[in-house]
Amino acid sequence: MIDLQVVVGKLNGMSADGIAKLFNEEGITGSTFEAFSCPIANYVKRETGQVVGMCAGWIHAGDEKIFFTGKEPMVEFMRRFDRGVYPELRSNRDS
């Protein structure tokens, strides 16, 4: 399993659209406005093996928490996803 910092660094090294492309290619989906089942939480859980929560200000897995300034690509992806920009990444229960 990969460390949370490594996964966050990987995602924040991409654009919001790049994150969406990665998730689409890897079959990652999730629910809008759900900290524990959004696509980012589902991807990070898959990579780290830990339950993950994500919001605009932070992400946490286990005892580790990373805070954001709000300008990171992960945060921008989440905002766009919640606004419906990436409908192909929505899980069935979100339809």
Side-chain angles (χ1 to χ4, degrees), residues 33-74:
F33 302 103
E34 293 289 338
F36 293 92
S37 63
C38 71
I40 289 176
N42 291 336
Y43 177 78
V44 175
K45 179 180 179 182
R46 185 188 77 182
E47 296 296 303
T48 66
Q50 298 182 55
V51 174
V52 175
M54 166 76 188
C55 77
W58 50 262
I59 188 169
H60 73 88
D63 294 333
E64 189 173 7
K65 189 178 254 187
I66 299 172
F67 292 91
F68 299 118
T69 65
K71 298 178 183 177
E72 294 84 358
M74 285 175 59

Side-chain angles (χ1 to χ4, degrees), residues 6-15 19 66 68 71-76:
V6 173
V7 177
V8 168
K10 175 183 176 179
L11 293 177
N12 277 331
M14 304 176 174
S15 65
I19 293 170
I66 299 172
F68 299 118
K71 298 178 183 177
E72 294 84 358
M74 285 175 59
V75 176
E76 182 59 27

